[in-house]
Amino acid sequence: GRKWEVRTIGRMVTNPEYIGLTYFGKTLGGRKTCLKPQPVSNWALLPDVTLPIIDKEFFEQVQKIL
């Protein structure tokens, strides 16, 4: 019901999950420990987990502009 904020749009057009790419293993840790970022080589793509809400071509165009 409110206006969209610029930072919300910015997160959407830079996060690959909005085009349907979901990864497992981006961080390591548990409930009682701090989450530590992991190298991209350790990430596992989970196909067909997230429905895309942004067109892939549009997403790629935005990445080139940014």
Side-chain angles (χ1 to χ4, degrees):
R2 293 185 291 170
K3 289 180 11 178
W4 287 59
E5 294 201 24
V6 173
R7 63 182 172 193
T8 302
I9 303 295
R11 278 187 288 235
M12 290 178 71
V13 298
T14 56
N15 186 341
E17 288 190 23
Y18 287 97
I19 60 170
L21 298 178
T22 302
Y23 293 94
F24 173 78
K26 292 172 80 172
T27 58
L28 183 64
R31 284 189 241 173
K32 296 183 180 182
T33 62
C34 294
L35 293 177
K36 296 178 182 170
Q38 297 299 299
V40 176
S41 60
N42 290 359
W43 299 0
L45 179 62
L46 303 175
D48 303 321
V49 171
T50 307
L51 293 174
I53 62 171
I54 294 178
D55 183 62
K56 186 177 179 181
E57 289 78 25
F58 174 74
F59 184 84
E60 290 171 354
Q61 288 176 344
V62 171
Q63 302 318 298
K64 288 178 186 176
I65 292 169
L66 296 175

